[in-house]
Amino acid sequence: MAITTDNFGKTADGTQVKLYTITNNNGFSASVTDFGAILVKLFVPDKAGKTVDVVLGHDSVEGYFANGSFFGATVGPSANRVDNASFTIDGVKYQLAANDRTNNLHSDVDKGYHKRVWNAVSGDNSITFSIDDEDGCMGFPGNKKVQVTYTVTDDNALKIDYDVTSDKKTLINMTNHSYFNLAGHNADNIEAHRLSINASHYTPVFERLIPTGELAEVEGTPFDFRVMKAVGDDIEADDIQLKYGQGYDHNFVLDGYDGTLRKAASVEEPTSGRKMDVYTDQPGIQFYAGNCIAPENGKEGAVYGKRSGLCLETQCFPDAVNQPQFPDVIYGPERPYRTTTIYKFYNE
């Protein structure tokens, strides 16, 4: 296992940004930056041993200054959508930025965790990023100490550990927003990728993509991924939920949730033979098919567009803070936030 460090450009105020690359003995490697604790590159071998980068992103930090698609981002303190950009804890209402119509989406476009320079500490096969987030920042209560650790294993897995403590009760529901294309970040769209999700229910949404509160059965709908099928098989089906999201952009309710680490989803790309399993200890996973990626320049001269990559964002349910029937997303002095996600790769 080896870790190298390179310069990755400078922020607008002249702060030097670094890129850390962790490589195992199989040629599998992950490159992460202290700007936003972002996953920038992920090199994965195929069935012939050819290694390519399978996540969308940019060649230098300047490309992440806007990052409207949240490529590779550590999203926090709240991922996904919050209805009316507000929530209440113990009778106190907290107002967030209304940055997605009347919703809050991914905390804050400009002040979110994906736009901060984090402290970085290297381990033997890991990088731990940390920041302090002040009470009231972005509208969220609590002085928070936030830590995200990326670990590369000998069996071609990328493990992400989140650890947050707060001195007040607050909303925490973090995720990683990487877009995967197992044929390579600069390959065609992901509609031929085959996907399975271990979920017999999902959370249908209103037109603004806020959950209705219902846990709907996937059986007999385009949302049934219990048996692996191509992403493109049903993505253009005549279904109001797909029309709302312009394709898949929905939270799936994982079967057998008990707070332990379990397999949530699997993806395979038929031509290369690359396969990815996703493990989480969270109750949900957001499958986003990259429907709204506007054409933009990416790494190595690539131009990314609609469905160039797919996201499998481990999380609690969207708007859970406002829907008491959903799992609890309030953390604080008596309840630290700790969760793990693993992306495990194979080539068969």
Side-chain angles (χ1 to χ4, degrees):
M1 200 76 68
I3 297 180
T4 59
T5 306
D6 298 288
N7 290 333
F8 196 53
K10 294 183 178 181
T11 64
D13 67 3
T15 302
Q16 181 66 61
V17 173
K18 299 290 187 181
L19 186 70
Y20 303 85
T21 300
I22 316 166
T23 307
N24 71 13
N25 294 326
N26 306 317
F28 176 87
S29 71
S31 297
V32 291
T33 176
D34 51 6
F35 183 81
I38 287 170
L39 176 64
V40 174
K41 303 175 186 178
L42 191 63
F43 279 88
V44 179
D46 68 4
K47 60 188 178 184
K50 181 182 179 182
T51 302
V52 301
D53 185 2
V54 300
V55 293
L56 277 56
H58 298 286
D59 289 320
S60 67
V61 71
E62 288 81 5
Y64 293 98
F65 289 167
N67 200 13
S69 294
F70 289 78
F71 292 143
T74 292
V75 181
S78 173
N80 218 305
R81 292 171 174 86
V82 176
D83 192 19
N84 293 318
S86 64
F87 60 93
T88 300
I89 300 176
D90 294 339
V92 179
K93 183 177 180 179
Y94 297 95
Q95 188 66 48
L96 311 178
N99 57 10
D100 176 52
R101 291 178 278 186
T102 58
N103 308 327
N104 175 263
L105 175 63
H106 297 329
S107 299
D108 196 289
V109 172
D110 297 316
K111 301 175 185 176
Y113 292 170
H114 67 300
K115 295 290 180 71
R116 310 229 191 142
V117 178
W118 297 53
N119 297 315
V121 176
S122 298
D124 292 336
N125 62 338
S126 64
I127 304 292
T128 297
F129 297 110
S130 61
I131 54 171
D132 291 332
D133 188 23
E134 294 182 354
D135 182 25
C137 184
M138 297 179 280
F140 294 89
N143 293 295
K144 295 170 285 295
K145 293 188 177 296
V146 185
Q147 191 168 280
V148 177
T149 300
Y150 288 90
T151 302
V152 168
T153 69
D154 288 326
D155 59 351
N156 292 3
L158 178 65
K159 181 185 177 203
I160 309 175
D161 292 297
Y162 303 83
D163 191 315
V164 185
T165 58
S166 174
D167 64 359
K168 290 182 182 178
K169 290 182 180 179
T170 192
L171 163 60
I172 306 175
N173 186 21
M174 296 180 65
T175 198
N176 181 276
H177 208 291
S178 289
Y179 291 74
F180 296 94
N181 188 323
L182 298 186
H185 77 94
N186 53 356
D188 290 335
N189 72 42
I190 46 76
E191 291 183 17
H193 282 49
R194 293 174 57 79
L195 171 67
S196 64
I197 303 175
N198 298 330
S200 55
H201 294 78
Y202 77 107
T203 51
V205 295
F206 295 115
E207 187 264 342
R208 286 186 292 110
L209 302 183
I210 294 293
T212 64
E214 177 189 4
L215 304 185
E217 292 189 1
V218 301
E219 186 169 357
T221 78
F223 294 86
D224 194 348
F225 284 93
R226 292 173 296 175
V227 175
M228 185 169 275
K229 66 179 181 182
V231 170
D233 280 357
D234 297 318
I235 201 167
E236 301 294 346
D238 185 14
D239 182 280
I240 189 61
Q241 289 294 312
L242 293 175
K243 287 180 170 58
Y244 287 159
Q246 302 178 57
Y248 296 107
D249 188 8
H250 294 76
N251 170 70
F252 286 74
V253 179
L254 297 174
D255 291 342
Y257 168 69
D258 61 2
T260 63
L261 198 64
R262 12 185 350 122
K263 187 163 76 169
S266 297
V267 186
E268 61 182 40
E269 198 284 308
T271 302
S272 68
R274 292 187 185 89
K275 299 181 179 181
M276 178 179 77
D277 289 342
V278 184
Y279 295 82
T280 182
D281 52 17
Q282 289 291 291
I285 190 166
Q286 184 89 3
F287 168 40
Y288 174 48
N291 313 301
C292 299
I293 303 173
E296 65 176 289
N297 296 325
K299 290 178 286 190
E300 301 173 319
V303 178
Y304 304 137
K306 182 177 181 178
R307 299 180 185 150
S308 288
L310 62 83
C311 301
L312 290 165
E313 306 160 59
T314 58
Q315 60 175 13
C316 192
F317 305 166
D319 198 41
V321 70
N322 290 315
Q323 306 207 31
Q325 74 277 25
F326 286 175
D328 186 11
V329 288
I330 302 301
Y331 295 84
E334 308 298 322
R335 189 189 183 207
Y337 177 84
R338 295 191 178 98
T339 183
T340 297
T341 297
I342 297 174
Y343 298 101
K344 176 79 167 60
F345 294 86
Y346 308 86
N347 44 56
E348 300 172 359

